[in-house]
């Protein structure tokens, strides 16, 4: 009889211990961001100054800093972030498949893209430009007629020039800007086109210093937004609030100076959330 009482008491103690442990586990998870403790964010891996995977495996650039700040406001530490390479042609698909929570990858907001994904921001206003060899005679967009023009597959930049500015240019689309820059260096193409922020990052690299120049043309307005899955209004609202805070507390300006300062890039002021410059 005594044995039964001891056993029953022991069972109560064990049950209480298990309950306490379970409660403690839930509390420890609650502060790690969304419960899972990890977040997948899409960026570019090959864009100096914006999104670059470095030789040591770390990531650097303006988009990386913006995404890290936003993730922190969502409850995630830098160590909770899993960076996912999202090339231009695959950004919409990556969001639709759920491969990433959001994308900060020089993602220009357009009506066509807005039909497939939702955008927070914009968080940077860039302008389409041309990167040329230092001795190039190309001075304006129409000079590209009969010339070889390079950009990446899925980008709106090259198509914009080919359709509206220099219809007789020879458009060459490659999988990355790194390949385009190498083609420019070798003489296989006469110009590379994309946003001035991206081109400035490449021109400032040590291995390219003194070889290239920006044409200084504002061929379009590129409103960079953070892409989220269509219909995910909760995440969209949180990101917009995070971006507003980043500007107000000075972190946005610091990130601009850190990433674009060495290239002498003349950035536009921080855009207002929801304000798209056409």
């Amino acid at each position: 009889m005594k044995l039964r009482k001891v056993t029953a008491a022991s069972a109560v103690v064990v049950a209480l211990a298990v309950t306490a442990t379970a409660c403690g586990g839930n509390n420890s998870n609650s502060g790690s961001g969304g419960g899972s403790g990890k977040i997948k964010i899409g960026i570019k891996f090959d864009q100096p100054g914006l999104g670059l995977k470095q030789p040591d495996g770390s990531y650097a650039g303006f988009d990386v800093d913006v995404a890290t700040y936003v993730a922190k406001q969502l409850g995630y530490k830098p160590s909770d972030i899993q960076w996912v390479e999202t090339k231009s042609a695959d950004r919409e698909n990556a969001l639709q498949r759920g491969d990433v929570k959001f994308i900060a990858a020089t993602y220009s907001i357009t009506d066509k893209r807005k039909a497939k994904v939702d955008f927070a921001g914009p968080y940077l206003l860039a302008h389409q430009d041309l990167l040329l060899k230092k001795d190039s005679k190309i001075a304006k967009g129409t000079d590209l007629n009969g010339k070889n023009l390079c950009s990446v597959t899925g980008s709106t930049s090259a198509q914009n020039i080919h359709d509206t500015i220099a219809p007789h240019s020879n458009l060459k689309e490659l999988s990355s800007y790194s390949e385009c820059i190498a083609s420019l260096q070798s003489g296989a193409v006469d110009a590379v086109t994309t946003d001035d922020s991206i081109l400035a990052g490449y021109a400032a690299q040590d291995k390219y210093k003194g070889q290239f120049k920006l044409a200084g043309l504002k061929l379009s307005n590129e409103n960079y937004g953070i892409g989220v899955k269509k219909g995910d209004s909760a995440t969209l609202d949180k990101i917009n609030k995070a971006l507003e805070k980043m500007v107000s507390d000075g972190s946005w300006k610091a990130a601009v100076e850190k990433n674009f300062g060495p290239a002498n890039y003349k950035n536009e002021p921080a855009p207002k959330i929801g304000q798209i410059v056409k």
Side-chain angles (χ1 to χ4, degrees):
M1 191 70 180
K2 288 181 181 180
L3 181 60
R4 286 181 185 175
K5 288 181 180 179
V6 171
T7 303
S10 299
V12 171
V13 171
V14 170
L16 289 173
V18 170
T19 302
T21 301
C23 291
N26 288 339
N27 289 337
S28 65
N29 286 338
S30 64
S32 60
S36 68
K38 298 293 180 183
I39 184 171
K40 293 183 178 181
I41 302 174
I43 58 169
K44 295 290 182 64
F45 278 18
D46 69 336
Q47 290 182 354
L50 287 150
L52 183 68
K53 184 176 183 179
Q54 303 186 103
D56 65 359
S58 63
Y59 300 87
F62 182 69
D63 282 347
V64 174
D65 288 345
V66 169
T68 301
Y69 186 97
V70 168
K72 182 180 179 181
Q73 300 305 307
L74 296 181
Y76 298 91
K77 303 184 297 292
S79 58
D80 296 330
I81 299 172
Q82 180 180 337
W83 301 109
V84 178
E85 183 176 22
T86 49
K87 294 185 176 182
S88 296
D90 195 44
R91 288 177 296 202
E92 287 82 32
N93 291 332
L95 287 169
Q96 290 170 348
R97 290 192 303 260
D99 295 346
V100 294
K101 187 66 172 177
F102 64 82
I103 294 176
T106 61
Y107 206 177
S108 297
I109 301 171
T110 67
D111 290 338
K112 183 178 179 180
R113 288 170 177 165
K114 285 167 67 176
K116 297 180 179 179
V117 302
D118 287 333
F119 284 99
Y123 63 91
L124 184 72
L125 175 61
H127 303 285
Q128 185 182 350
D129 202 353
L130 302 176
L131 188 67
L132 311 165
K133 279 196 169 182
K134 193 172 183 180
D135 60 356
S136 175
K137 303 300 181 184
I138 295 173
K140 54 185 183 297
T142 53
D143 291 342
L144 289 169
N145 282 309
K147 302 293 186 181
N148 295 319
L149 173 67
C150 188
S151 194
V152 299
T153 304
S155 171
T156 59
S157 300
Q159 205 63 50
N160 176 48
I161 288 180
H162 189 264
D163 291 349
T164 64
I165 299 172
H168 300 296
S169 59
N170 303 313
L171 179 57
K172 186 174 185 179
E173 293 183 300
L174 299 177
S175 62
S176 71
Y177 289 111
S178 297
E179 293 178 80
C180 280
I181 302 299
S183 294
L184 179 63
Q185 185 182 39
S186 70
V189 300
D190 301 292
V192 178
T193 187
T194 186
D195 307 344
D196 50 9
S197 56
I198 298 172
L199 297 174
Y202 278 106
Q205 284 187 294
D206 288 338
K207 62 181 177 179
Y208 294 134
K209 277 184 179 177
Q211 296 184 43
F212 305 132
K213 64 180 180 181
L214 284 166
L217 309 177
K218 292 186 177 182
L219 299 173
S220 70
N221 294 318
E222 304 296 333
N223 300 269
Y224 288 177
I226 293 181
V228 302
K229 191 172 184 178
K230 193 73 176 174
D232 188 357
S233 57
T235 299
L236 192 72
D237 291 343
K238 291 176 183 177
I239 293 176
N240 276 330
K241 289 177 181 176
L243 292 174
E244 289 176 339
K245 184 177 179 181
M246 187 176 188
V247 173
S248 65
D249 69 12
S251 298
W252 184 91
K253 183 179 179 181
V256 168
E257 293 174 351
K258 169 189 168 186
N259 294 291
F260 299 134
N264 199 31
Y265 172 67
K266 306 299 182 184
N267 66 281
E268 299 277 6
K272 294 187 181 300
I273 299 300
Q275 182 176 308
I276 307 300
V277 179
K278 299 293 187 178

